[in-house]
Amino acid sequence: MEELDILHRALGSRLVTEAAEIAKYARDSSRELVAGAAQAVVLAESTADVSAALSWANAAKVPVSVRGAGTGLAGGAVAYEGGIIISLERMNRILSLDVPNRLAVVEPGVITAELDAAAHQHGLFFPPDPASARTSTVGGNIATNAGGLRCVSHGVTSDAVAALEVVLADGRIMHTGARTRKNVVGFDLTSLLVGSEGTLGVITAATVRLKPVAPGTPRTFRAGFPTLESAGDAVTAIVNGAAQPEVLELMDALSIEIVESYFPSGLVVPEGAMLVGQTVGVDAQAKAEAITRTCLDAGANEVEISESDSLLEARRLSNPALNARGLKLSCDVGVPIAALSEVFRGIGEISRQHGLRVSTVAHAGDGNLHSAVEALDTPDGILAADAVLDDITRLALTLGGTISSEHGIGSVKRHELPWQLDAVTLDVQRAIKEALDPHGILTPDRAI
Amino acid sequence: MEELDILHRALGSRLVTEAAEIAKYARDSSRELVAGAAQAVVLAESTADVSAALSWANAAKVPVSVRGAGTGLAGGAVAYEGGIIISLERMNRILSLDVPNRLAVVEPGVITAELDAAAHQHGLFFPPDPASARTSTVGGNIATNAGGLRCVSHGVTSDAVAALEVVLADGRIMHTGARTRKNVVGFDLTSLLVGSEGTLGVITAATVRLKPVAPGTPRTFRAGFPTLESAGDAVTAIVNGAAQPEVLELMDALSIEIVESYFPSGLVVPEGAMLVGQTVGVDAQAKAEAITRTCLDAGANEVEISESDSLLEARRLSNPALNARGLKLSCDVGVPIAALSEVFRGIGEISRQHGLRVSTVAHAGDGNLHSAVEALDTPDGILAADAVLDDITRLALTLGGTISSEHGIGSVKRHELPWQLDAVTLDVQRAIKEALDPHGILTPDRAI
């Protein structure tokens, strides 16, 4: 505890050591993990605070967990036994909003939806829109390279990050990237940091790219399919069509039933699955019509176009609805678009083999699936559900897919890394980690 | 030479040691650099060849330069004294073209325009289009994160790379990325390798993203402006407008004169500058009309819209025209879009201060300028031209810009790195280099 006094002198009341307070910052939104008892929370208010905390932790060889809003789903922000927690929630200022260059500079603790709202005041928007946007932070989104509904049209978080200020493990401050559209000066350290899940440095400021809001009234569309596979075929056709959606989501029949039982809205439950999405721009109606025609050609029973975006509400409620059911065990796999039908067919087989019901929602236009297993909240139930998810994950990999599309690895999926990455790649990641954090204090034993 | 025998046994006739042959592979397209006398050229035909060559070089601690078509402009592929050269020109197969997933897997020596042509047979195209596309290779484009005319609408090369096969300095083979649209598994090693200019590994295969060709007939548009600054203002307005161009280029009056004297086409030389670009899609005409209206609002004297793309030909001829004049000393700076007018005004001042004429072409929509100085091809003339370019570069940096937008650092711009990057960032880059290439054999002392 003497050591911690040094840090206390640097940070004053921004260093919190009360166990009850520490406990509030010890977890993220991955429910199955046990957090270690950290020594302290640093309620950082500046880059200097983060630098002081890391300098101290590096010298003391104390593990550090880093936390935005704690909405992560992979255990990346869970506290370490004897560690310190750096909370960035107080670093929540939008430092600048440069409209002509469509750039914003923000502190990491800015809530994602608040940045988006600030941009909207100037006819712009912040493209990344994870389901957690109203609670998660820009810094957390960057650290995990978060996805969301608009990825199909606007890419992932990394596509929206131009430059970063990063505090390294030893407390030094690094600046990556540039305010320009193109920049080929040195290694792309910005992209290396995006998605590094707190293992290479702590992001203390980010220059992000905004986009102009499309003119006109968006249209939402919905199409009901007799089978999950035919909905998958429609996705491939839509993505390869001339009219491109802003959003293209999928819900299977069971996932719609789960939402309807949580919040009844009178939504038609199709036999197989529903595609739901949005088009924007002055030609939003024409694009929605073209896309729903493609759906009918691929076997949809019925389609609907609306100026209200309430059709998307069911998709947005799928996480809360699953959480309300209690145990939520789901995956985050991705496949190349054209493999969607095949992965859906395989999921059906796996579900039957294991005798457990699987509900699937998908960022369909990205080939990113969240399949959830209905299981008992008992050790045996969890084991059985995990076996289903493992089979789905391995199936995705055989189809050229990925074990995680947007949630990250954290500690939850770390055992799956060798399923996707070869030994050389894993070794190179460790070498980079050691080069930047030789004492291994930053989010140790996670992500890679 | 005994050592080289070991490599000869592995590679047979693919190891070339004739000095005249080696000399053919010793240079890139940066004219001022002296190449070292390499021991040998490896005409690699497979990943195994590259691996054998690097294993040998790593053990023998022999420096390695890596070469696609030698079109680089920064000296990145110039041979080292006593080194070996790995040429990838024979690894020129398109290994697969997956139309539904819009992915191609290619060897690094595929000519960029040939990949684009192969994709066109399926209604797709390969977005990166550096001016050198008809001669440069996909591998070289990736290694330098090359730009081009379509970046304003389709991003840079890194945006088109999904996955890589890379041979590391010690000969081990690494696989990065995935075939999916989203992938957050481990560090983004793909982006780290893209633009690393041969310093971290040799790319032996790349999975690249293709896009669908837009329907309809493209339109080209041209607008003449009384001043360079008013053209710069028009660019900011266009980029922030509703109608987005596929291509948006700028040529100042002097650069048009240089092209017209090289290949007269009767092009009107405006008083200040010309914007020239292209729109695509079924609404190409409407978009071109909207953009030219924006130009008139920003002060253009006259505008033109055409279904022929001959208007872009002058822009494409600017490099050959400059090269035909002999000495070509130019920069590759970038600025945030809204700073274009200011950098143009500053270039005018710098030109007057030094008493040397400067011609500027720009990938205007990206804020990427290539200003060339008219100077005598003498040591004093080169010094004087370099002083002008240094001033332009420092001006770009004060406006939040970059020293290189698309050509890379290589050896030519290495002295400028500390102008843009802080000491910590430079140190991190060196640490990553050492972690991946501890003996420093891969393109040593360049890029970072």
Side-chain angles (χ1 to χ4, degrees), chain B residues 209-231:
Chain B
R209 300 185 198 282
L210 308 174
K211 287 191 175 185
V213 175
T217 306
R219 298 293 191 284
T220 45
F221 61 84
R222 189 185 64 77
F225 290 84
T227 64
L228 196 45
E229 291 88 330
S230 55

Side-chain angles (χ1 to χ4, degrees), chain B residues 5 42 47 59 61 126 182 274-275 305 356 401:
Chain B
D5 287 346
V42 176
T47 304
K61 298 193 175 56
F126 179 57
K182 291 154 65 181
M274 170 178 86
L275 287 184
I305 297 173
L356 287 172

Side-chain angles (χ1 to χ4, degrees), chain B residues 80 116 124 139 147 156 211-212 258 285 288 311 363 387 393 433:
Chain B
Y80 292 91
D116 194 44
L124 301 173
V156 292
K211 287 191 175 185
I258 289 169
Q285 176 70 25
L311 289 175
H363 301 306
T393 303
K433 166 70 172 168

